[in-house]
Amino acid sequence: MIDLGVCYYPEQWPRELWERDARHMRELGLRVVRIGEFAWSRIEPRSGELCWDWLDEALDTLHRHELRVVLGTPTATPPKWLVDAHPDILAVDEHGHARGFGSRRHYCFSSPVYREQSARMVTLMAERYGRHPAVCAWQTDNEYGCHSTVLSYSRAARERFRIWLERRYGTLQALNRAWGTVFWSQEYTDFAQIDPPAGAVTEANPSHRLDWRRFASDEVAEFNRLQVDILRRHSPGRDVLHNFMGFFTEFDHHRLARDLDVATWDSYPLGATQNFFLDADEKRRHAFTGHPDIPAFHHDLYRGMCGGRWWVMEQQPGPVNWAQWNPAPHPGMVRAWTWQALAHGAEVVSYFRWRQAPYAQEQMHAGLQRPDGSDDLGAIEAAQVARELDALREPLRAARTRRRAQVALVFDYASLWMADIQPQGRDYLALEACFRAYSALRQLGLDVDILAPQAALDGYALVVLPAQLRGDATLAENLRRSKAQVLLGPRAGSKTEDLQIPDGLAPGVFAQLAAVQVQRVSSLPPGVELELRLGDDGPTLRATRWCEQLALRGAQVQARLGEAAGGGAALTRMDDCWYLGAWLDQAGWVALIEHIAPAAGLAVQRLPEGLRISRVGELMVALNFSDSPVCWEPPQGEATRLLGARELPPRGLTIWKLLPAASAH
């Protein structure tokens, strides 16, 4: 399947529009429609009163126009009658206040009543529509954890947390040892004494906080599995998927995705550019295009979760309503974002949404159509992609087995939680470190596979671990056996599974690989910069935010801090393992990858500003995210052009087919 789709809410529009809408979707080239994920109150307006007629008609209408349907389970929005009957289903914040009705995601994953009610509703939907010819897939819930809803401090969560801890540790002695509760007289003598880590006078025990995060992550996965099992039982042969979010790390997506057929995510490049950790200049430069590596980072992250099967479930088609500022994308960007996703292997790119609603919380959020039913710019660009896709469908389908990238980036959710719990410096953001390393690789023209720590690493030329705080002995052994060049970022192996400093100090289980020992760390305040030079005649880089004092245990120095910082080692190498002991900015990461690439046998080139290259099978897609024309083409004799020109206009793209010799690289 290689198709375009759209998110549609028939319950929000008069029935007389449904036929026209379905017809026009087909005319634009859309083939997949997601519906139903917020429709509980229309399906069941009162307890036990089921109204299926409108959903029957909606599905039949879409099917009549040969549109395939992804049917969402509506558990993200329990209706008011259910909340009134069972107020204990509401999530509770850390201050003990219930999160009230009136928006969405107002439930607690641990609530036994809500699990029962969710199972009941999902079963009813699956029994009725599980074999409907229009239904090609199911989406569980919607955006698990959005609006900071993973953690709930309810009574049910507290009780389930205690059970979870007893299963994990077995004895109080083991828990007390793992948490170091002898410190500050925190020792427990009964699992019933343990509460969620909230309301402490000062910082709660960090190991307690980590296990609370792990428990909450497991609760999300269990809630999802409950739905998946029902859907598989009543709707065999249909894919089950969930729509994840960008830069969201509150639960372990790798674990949850093991129960899915397809990982999907919601791509809003402009909103993410404005809301996250980019600096002011980056936000200004990418205000109308989005940072080019934000969508790609998530495409590669989610592609690594379900055996390579992934979609974009919600693609931004115009201005959104939820960011700090909400600029409208430049003309051409919806087309460019769509092709970027296809170039990273997406099976479906689905736009959010069909028509902009004139009421309620998202009335300022654009759709493919304006509220009056006229086509907005996003619809015009989606139709253009559909025509281009029709012309290139066969070569794109032939390229669907995406060749493995030469570079892997290891992404570990537990390490990100550890850094959040003990950042040591206010601006130490492990997620940003992962993104900066990824962006540097992409700026040098490299494709990247983003992998879980337990993934196989054989066959990669370079494995990058920008923020692997958690010591993982199996990962260390896989790195050793991979024969790749390995780059460990600062703080690698600095914490045990229990969030303690390892015996022998950092990098802990990676010490044999790196042949260094971290003896002291410094978090650097804003405005403090340390210079370091790559090699004898390499570029001078800037270290900010974080710096480590390294003792050599056999490794060779590759870069030293400037004399003002004591001249200590900042980058070391032991055989195939490189260890970076400082926080680098974006330019520093580019220079570092460029320096290491020859040892990995990687041919790199600094791409022009805003240009990104992606390869899928035998196809190569070049995208120009800048405001100026860019001339670029593969080395002579490597490819033939299928779409576009050698000079890419602003927000333009060109597609090549690689020749056999080049495809084998």
Side-chain angles (χ1 to χ4, degrees):
M1 182 191 304
I2 308 169
D3 282 310
L4 304 181
V6 70
C7 305
Y8 186 47
Y9 300 92
E11 69 273 20
Q12 297 178 8
W13 303 101
R15 292 194 187 195
E16 54 266 26
L17 292 181
W18 296 358
E19 191 83 28
R20 187 187 76 181
D21 286 344
R23 183 185 310 112
H24 194 40
M25 290 174 192
R26 286 287 301 185
E27 291 169 351
L28 291 177
L30 307 176
R31 298 294 179 265
V32 179
V33 182
R34 183 192 70 174
I35 67 172
E37 78 273 17
F38 296 127
W40 194 331
S41 67
R42 282 299 171 97
I43 294 171
E44 190 177 23
R46 298 170 188 82
S47 179
E49 180 184 324
L50 297 169
C51 299
W52 300 111
D53 62 311
W54 70 272
L55 190 50
D56 292 346
E57 183 179 342
L59 282 166
D60 291 343
T61 300
L62 295 169
H63 182 55
R64 192 161 53 250
H65 288 274
E66 300 180 318
L67 292 161
R68 301 190 302 281
V69 173
V70 177
L71 188 53
T73 66
T75 53
T77 49
K80 187 62 164 67
W81 63 260
L82 181 55
V83 172
D84 288 345
H86 303 284
D88 57 336
I89 73 173
L90 294 171
V92 176
D93 69 19
E94 62 183 318
H95 304 293
H97 302 139
R99 304 190 70 171
F101 182 85
S103 180
R104 63 179 186 174
R105 299 223 53 81
H106 43 279
Y107 68 82
C108 173
F109 286 101
S110 298
S111 167
V113 172
Y114 194 61
R115 290 188 179 206
E116 292 171 5
Q117 290 291 329
S118 296
R120 179 184 65 84
M121 174 50 64
V122 173
T123 300
L124 289 169
M125 292 187 71
E127 287 176 341
R128 189 172 186 88
Y129 301 116
R131 299 177 187 272
H132 193 289
V135 176
C136 69
W138 292 85
Q139 176 185 294
T140 58
D141 206 269
N142 184 79
E143 294 183 338
Y144 286 138
C146 190
H147 318 301
S148 301
T149 54
V150 169
L151 299 179
S152 171
Y153 298 80
S154 67
R155 175 180 297 180
R158 181 178 65 231
E159 292 172 352
R160 289 178 62 85
F161 181 46
R162 292 166 177 169
I163 295 170
W164 184 94
L165 289 171
E166 189 164 8
R167 288 174 179 166
R168 179 175 177 85
Y169 292 104
T171 67
L172 267 301
Q173 292 84 350
L175 181 144
N176 283 320
R177 184 168 54 251
W179 288 10
T181 55
V182 68
F183 191 78
W184 285 356
S185 190
Q186 301 168 67
E187 290 165 297
Y188 297 101
T189 58
D190 194 309
F191 282 101
Q193 296 173 345
I194 304 173
D195 292 321
V201 173
T202 183
E203 178 187 2
N205 183 296
S207 301
H208 188 172
R209 294 170 65 191
L210 177 62
D211 274 343
W212 177 243
R213 298 283 292 269
R214 284 175 168 147
F215 158 75
S217 177
D218 287 353
E219 292 290 90
V220 179
E222 283 192 22
F223 183 82
N224 181 73
R225 189 180 304 117
L226 173 74
Q227 299 198 23
V228 171
D229 289 345
I230 294 168
L231 295 170
R232 294 205 191 286
R233 186 162 60 250
H234 294 289
S235 189
R238 275 79 172 176
D239 286 331
V240 181
L241 49 87
H242 178 74
N243 58 327
F244 300 110
M245 294 178 291
F247 290 140
F248 188 81
T249 60
E250 295 302 302
F251 64 90
D252 187 337
H253 295 37
H254 294 303
R255 176 174 179 181
L256 187 145
R258 291 201 294 265
D259 294 322
L260 303 175
D261 298 299
V262 182
T264 80
W265 82 285
D266 298 343
S267 177
Y268 294 96
L270 299 192
T273 294
Q274 292 301 320
N275 268 19
F276 289 95
F277 41 66
L278 302 183
D279 63 38
D281 181 62
E282 289 174 308
K283 292 184 178 187
R284 178 191 57 77
R285 285 189 288 120
H286 302 301
F288 300 102
T289 62
H291 191 293
D293 299 320
I294 286 177
F297 176 85
H298 293 93
H299 296 340
D300 291 339
L301 173 64
Y302 293 120
R303 192 185 67 248
M305 291 192 181
C306 291
R309 296 197 62 199
W310 74 279
W311 302 5
V312 174
M313 183 54 77
E314 298 182 14
Q315 176 59 65
Q316 179 173 358
V320 300
N321 71 302
W322 46 262
Q324 297 175 84
W325 293 272
N326 297 287
H330 273 320
M333 285 314 306
V334 173
R335 174 182 179 241
W337 290 328
T338 306
W339 271 111
Q340 185 181 33
L342 295 171
H344 283 252
E347 296 179 7
V348 174
V349 179
S350 171
Y351 303 98
F352 184 87
R353 55 195 159 167
W354 175 243
R355 184 182 297 115
Q356 182 178 354
Y359 49 77
Q361 284 92 328
E362 293 184 345
Q363 61 184 275
M364 298 299 291
H365 194 305
L368 293 181
Q369 290 195 331
R370 303 179 185 92
D372 66 356
S374 60
D375 285 347
D376 204 346
L377 181 59
I380 296 168
E381 293 187 25
Q384 180 181 356
V385 175
R387 294 191 297 271
E388 294 167 343
L389 187 55
D390 283 342
L392 295 173
R393 192 175 300 275
E394 286 310 311
L396 194 59
R397 184 178 288 119
R400 294 318 286 170
T401 304
R402 189 184 193 275
R403 60 181 183 172
R404 174 181 283 193
Q406 293 179 287
V407 180
L409 188 148
V410 176
F411 191 83
D412 180 30
Y413 286 90
S415 289
L416 302 183
W417 301 338
M418 290 176 174
D420 287 346
I421 291 167
Q422 286 197 321
Q424 188 64 7
R426 183 175 179 180
D427 54 1
Y428 189 93
L429 302 174
L431 179 59
E432 181 181 355
C434 294
F435 177 75
R436 295 300 183 187
Y438 175 88
S439 185
L441 293 162
R442 300 291 295 137
Q443 287 177 254
L444 292 169
L446 295 169
D447 292 308
V448 183
D449 291 339
I450 301 181
L451 304 178
Q454 61 268 30
L457 300 174
D458 299 338
Y460 289 100
L462 174 63
V463 180
V464 183
L465 301 93
Q468 185 62 43
L469 279 70
R470 182 180 63 90
D472 183 329
T474 301
L475 173 59
E477 178 61 16
N478 287 344
L479 290 169
R480 186 189 65 79
R481 296 170 53 188
S482 70
K483 300 180 181 179
Q485 295 294 306
V486 174
L487 173 58
L488 295 169
R491 304 187 73 175
S494 62
K495 300 297 180 183
T496 67
E497 287 283 351
D498 300 318
L499 194 46
Q500 296 186 11
I501 295 172
D503 294 339
L505 308 181
V509 298
F510 304 118
Q512 187 176 356
L513 275 172
V516 297
Q517 184 184 67
V518 179
Q519 298 193 322
R520 179 175 289 179
V521 300
S522 295
S523 61
L524 307 178
V528 176
E529 295 183 0
L530 306 178
E531 290 187 350
L532 60 106
R533 181 177 292 278
L534 279 175
D536 294 330
D537 55 357
T540 298
L541 311 182
R542 297 184 313 134
T544 61
R545 304 195 198 184
W546 187 267
C547 180
E548 297 174 350
Q549 180 181 314
L550 304 179
L552 303 180
R553 298 291 185 259
Q556 302 297 310
V557 178
Q558 302 294 304
R560 290 189 180 277
L561 296 170
E563 291 302 320
L571 176 70
T572 64
R573 181 182 183 183
M574 178 65 181
D575 298 327
D576 294 336
C577 183
W578 306 69
Y579 185 89
L580 172 66
W583 179 284
L584 299 180
D585 61 11
Q586 190 65 63
W589 271 105
V590 172
L592 176 59
I593 299 297
E594 205 168 33
H595 181 76
I596 295 174
L602 295 173
V604 299
Q605 57 173 324
R606 293 201 182 200
L607 297 176
E609 172 68 23
L611 185 71
R612 293 295 184 270
I613 309 299
S614 298
R615 299 163 186 83
V616 52
E618 297 179 349
L619 298 185
M620 176 184 289
V621 180
L623 292 144
N624 179 15
F625 288 83
S626 76
D627 293 329
S628 303
V630 174
C631 289
W632 188 89
E633 61 184 352
Q636 189 172 5
E638 283 199 359
T640 58
R641 195 162 60 243
L642 299 180
L643 178 70
R646 178 176 176 273
E647 182 177 88
L648 286 76
R651 282 85 65 189
L653 63 95
T654 301
I655 301 176
W656 286 270
K657 181 177 181 180
L658 295 169
L659 300 177
S663 296
H665 290 173

